[in-house]
Amino acid sequence: MSSIPPSSVAEPALGARQLARGITATWWYTVTAVLFIELMLVVAWAGIAAAEDVSGGVVLFVGIGGVVWCASTLMLLVHYRRRVDSGPEAMWRSLAVPFLVAAAYGLTAGALVSSWQLAAMPIVQFFVLLSWPRGVRVRVVLAATLILAALAVVDSAAGLNGGLPWWIPVVYGALLPGMSVSSLWWWDVLVTLDRARASEAKLAATQERLRVATDVHDLQGHHLQVVALQLELAERLLPIDADAGMEQLRAARVSVDEARQGTRDLATRFRSVPLGDELANARDLLVAAGLEVEAAIDADADAAPASALGPVIRETTTNVLRHGAGRRARLLLTRTTGSWRYEIGNDTVPGAELEHDGSGLDGIRRRIEEAHGTLEVRREADEFVVVVTVPAETEEGR
C-alpha cells in the first residue's frame, strides 16, 4: 500500500500568505473602526433624546434605527472594497439602498429630536464613504466637516444639544468625516502595497522567462550549429572515406545527447516540483502502465533535496517502464541520520540481458556525485534495484 497522500493544490508562498492575512485583518479593522464610530454616534444621540425628555418611542427609534443605518453602511464598505479605484458614478443601483436608509433615518430622527446635525449626519457619512478620487475625496471631507460643525453650532444655539457644552457636538461632528476617511486611507495603502507586490512578482516572472529563453537559445543554438557542421562534414566524407564520415555521424549523435542533457539540466534548474508530487507522479505512471506498485514514502518527503532526487526519480521511473518485465515495482524514500535514501526496484525477465546501465544511469551517477551522494545498482536474479543516498542538507546548501 502507498503512503503517499493525495495531491493537493499548491499553497501560495509564505510572504503572499502573510500579506493576504494582513489585508484581511486590515479590512476587518477598517469595518470595525467605521462601525464603532457610527454606533457611538447613535448611542450619543439616543442619550441626547433621552435627556430632552422625549417619548420612549423616539429614543427607541433613534437607537434601533441607528443600528439599521450602521448595518446599511456595511454595504457601502463592501462596495468600497470591491471598487476601490472606481468613481462614485458607477453602480449607483447598488448604492441606492444605503442612501435611502441613511436619508430616511437621518431626516426622521432629526425631525423627532429637532436636530439639524442628526438629520444631516447619516447622509453626509454616506458621501464620505464613497470611493471618490483622491483630489475629490479631500474636498468632500472638508465640505462634510464644515457642514457638520456648522449644524452643531446651530443646534447648540437653539439649545438642542441635551445640555451638553456647545463644543462637544462641534468637535465630534467635525471629527467624524476625518476618522472615517483615515480608516479607508489605511485600507487603500495596504491594497496599493499588495498590488505593488503582485506587479513585482509578475515582473520577476517575466524577467525569469526571458532569462530562461536566452539560456535555451544559447544552449540549443550552439549545439545545433555544431551538429549541422558535423553532418555537413559527414555528407562530404562518406563518398570518399566512409570511416571518417561515420565518425562525424557518431560525433553528431554525441552532440545531440549533450544538447538534450544540457536542456534537461537547464529545465531542472528552473523547475522546482515538491518531491512528494514527483513520487506521486511516478507511482501513478507505473500504476497506469499496469504494474503492481509498492510505495513507502516518508511523511516529510517534501523536505528532501528535490534538485538532486527529482531528476533521479524521473529517470529511474523511465528505466522501469523501458526495461522492466512490467509486473511489479517498488518505490521507497526514507530518512536516515543526516541523509535521504531513495530506492526503486522492478522485476526483470529471467535470463534477459539487462540494459539499465546506459546513459541514464551514467547521468544519475554524475548528478548524485555532484550532490555528494552515493549510487548503488543491484542486479539480482529477477529484480533490478537502484539505491540513491544523498545528504539531507543538499537542498539547503544550494
Side-chain angles (χ1 to χ4, degrees), residues 35-53:
L35 292 181
F36 177 78
I37 294 170
E38 294 175 349
L39 286 173
M40 290 299 99
L41 279 174
V42 172
V43 172
W45 279 110
I48 292 175
E52 292 291 334
D53 294 328

Side-chain angles (χ1 to χ4, degrees), residues 89-121:
E89 67 278 4
M91 297 180 65
W92 276 107
R93 291 181 181 178
S94 65
L95 301 177
V97 172
F99 175 76
L100 292 176
V101 172
Y105 171 68
L107 296 176
T108 305
L112 293 174
V113 182
S114 301
S115 170
W116 289 100
Q117 189 184 41
L118 176 57
M121 191 170 290

Side-chain angles (χ1 to χ4, degrees), residues 14 25 37 45 69 80-81 97 111 122 141 143 158 179 184 212 215 233 238 241-242 336 378:
L14 179 59
I37 294 170
W45 279 110
W69 165 61
Y80 188 92
R81 179 179 185 179
V97 172
V141 172
M179 290 188 295
L184 298 180
V212 173
D215 290 345
L233 182 58
L238 281 174
D241 190 344
T336 59
R378 298 201 304 264

Side-chain angles (χ1 to χ4, degrees), residues 184-264:
L184 298 180
W185 173 80
W186 181 245
W187 163 252
D188 290 343
V189 168
L190 198 63
V191 169
T192 301
L193 290 176
D194 180 56
R195 292 180 178 177
R197 178 201 60 79
S199 299
E200 182 181 5
K202 291 179 181 178
L203 179 60
T206 301
Q207 292 175 338
E208 190 70 5
R209 291 191 191 100
L210 291 175
R211 187 160 70 94
V212 173
T214 301
D215 290 345
V216 171
H217 175 270
D218 294 342
L219 175 68
Q220 296 292 349
H222 167 73
H223 285 96
L224 289 176
Q225 185 177 12
V226 172
V227 170
L229 293 175
Q230 290 170 333
L231 292 177
E232 182 180 353
L233 182 58
E235 183 180 10
R236 294 180 181 180
L237 290 176
L238 281 174
I240 57 177
D241 190 344
D243 292 338
M246 291 300 297
E247 183 65 27
Q248 291 301 318
L249 289 177
R250 285 190 289 269
R253 186 180 65 181
V254 172
S255 298
V256 170
D257 290 339
E258 291 177 352
R260 183 175 60 183
Q261 184 61 42
T263 304
R264 187 178 301 170

Side-chain angles (χ1 to χ4, degrees), residues 113-173:
V113 182
S114 301
S115 170
W116 289 100
Q117 189 184 41
L118 176 57
M121 191 170 290
I123 301 174
V124 169
Q125 180 74 345
F126 169 83
F127 287 100
V128 167
L129 294 180
L130 291 180
S131 54
W132 299 97
R134 290 185 178 178
V136 177
R137 174 186 287 178
V138 173
R139 291 193 288 271
V140 169
V141 172
L142 289 176
T145 302
L146 291 176
I147 290 173
L148 294 180
L151 293 177
V153 172
V154 171
D155 286 350
S156 297
L160 303 175
N161 55 6
L164 293 174
W166 67 269
W167 57 269
I168 293 180
V170 170
V171 171
Y172 207 99

